Amino acid sequence: MKNLNIYNLLTMVLSLFFFNCQIKKNTNYNYAGYSGIRQIESDLKKALKDKKTAIYNYPNLGTSFFLKKGKINGVFEIIINNDTIYYCNFKNNKPCGYYVFKTIHPKNINYYNRILPLKPNIDFGFGSGFFNSQHEKDGFWRENNQPCEQEGIYIKGKKEGIWKENCFNDIGGYTIYKNVTYKNDTIVSSTEK
């Protein structure tokens, strides 16, 4: 019995070793700026389509992600000038845990947003918060849905309770502050401050 346990342990260790050796690692130092963003977009689309298993790393762009059989698994992040612009952990293309996606500058939003594919969707809006184990927004979230900034609570993917909203009015050049009450993701009441 003892020999069988050692054999099973040895088999498991060797399997993990060979599995890790089979994962292709793609590190690309050649790209920076716009051409680098385009390269990530191209690599990601092709890898998703071809159902690749690989680690992609772009040190000059602060971007890395892992695909397993064409599905994003693990952390997908974008770091620019030592600032985390995008961060999300994935399990089979679905978000779980902490999420952050920051606006950089209004003129550059689409520039960096281009690498975020629509299928699977990994863009859950500008803001930060947590996804639960069912991949739903849950708990306290801050969201920046131009021209409004909002903060409040999600329960199982639905807005609940009082949300604070600050909406900039381009025409008048001022900000409207509101408290909006949600029940089951539906607005129940709204009051300006």
Side-chain angles (χ1 to χ4, degrees), residues 27-39:
T27 300
N28 193 327
Y29 291 95
N30 297 328
Y31 293 96
Y34 183 72
S35 63
I37 298 299
R38 299 287 296 170
Q39 186 62 44

Side-chain angles (χ1 to χ4, degrees), residues 45-64:
K45 284 181 180 177
K46 184 171 179 3
L48 290 168
K49 181 182 172 197
D50 295 343
K51 298 186 182 328
K52 296 265 184 173
T53 296
I55 296 169
Y56 292 83
N57 188 19
Y58 304 84
N60 292 347
L61 295 162
T63 303
S64 63

Side-chain angles (χ1 to χ4, degrees), residues 14 30 32 45 59 61 71 75 96 107 155 171:
L14 288 173
N30 297 328
K45 284 181 180 177
L61 295 162
K71 294 190 177 187
V75 172
C96 56
K107 293 180 182 175
I155 297 176
I171 296 170

Side-chain angles (χ1 to χ4, degrees), residues 7-157:
Y7 173 77
N8 288 341
L9 181 63
L10 184 58
T11 303
M12 186 172 71
V13 168
L14 288 173
S15 296
L16 287 171
F17 173 75
F18 287 117
F19 176 74
N20 284 333
C21 290
Q22 292 174 349
I23 296 175
K24 187 175 180 185
K25 295 177 181 158
N26 299 298
T27 300
N28 193 327
Y29 291 95
N30 297 328
Y31 293 96
Y34 183 72
S35 63
I37 298 299
R38 299 287 296 170
Q39 186 62 44
I40 293 171
E41 177 187 25
S42 173
D43 290 351
L44 182 57
K45 284 181 180 177
K46 184 171 179 3
L48 290 168
K49 181 182 172 197
D50 295 343
K51 298 186 182 328
K52 296 265 184 173
T53 296
I55 296 169
Y56 292 83
N57 188 19
Y58 304 84
N60 292 347
L61 295 162
T63 303
S64 63
F65 56 92
F66 170 66
L67 295 175
K68 182 177 179 184
K69 296 181 181 176
K71 294 190 177 187
I72 301 172
N73 281 280
V75 172
F76 189 114
E77 63 185 342
I78 302 170
I79 301 169
I80 299 172
N81 298 327
N82 295 320
D83 187 17
T84 300
I85 302 302
Y86 179 88
Y87 178 94
C88 190
N89 188 39
F90 288 90
K91 288 184 182 175
N92 293 322
N93 286 343
K94 296 187 178 180
C96 56
Y98 185 66
Y99 169 85
V100 64
F101 190 13
K102 295 179 184 175
T103 58
I104 300 158
H105 185 277
K107 293 180 182 175
N108 292 332
I109 288 171
N110 291 331
Y111 174 78
Y112 290 104
N113 199 21
R114 287 186 54 81
I115 66 171
L116 304 178
L118 298 177
K119 293 182 182 180
N121 179 24
I122 66 172
D123 178 354
F124 304 99
F126 294 111
S128 62
F130 289 87
F131 284 94
N132 63 24
S133 59
Q134 284 75 42
H135 316 290
E136 302 163 319
K137 290 181 177 182
D138 212 13
F140 182 77
W141 274 74
R142 282 193 173 104
E143 299 179 332
N144 186 351
N145 302 313
Q146 295 294 332
C148 295
E149 294 178 355
Q150 303 171 314
E151 59 181 48
I153 302 291
Y154 277 98
I155 297 176
K156 295 183 179 179

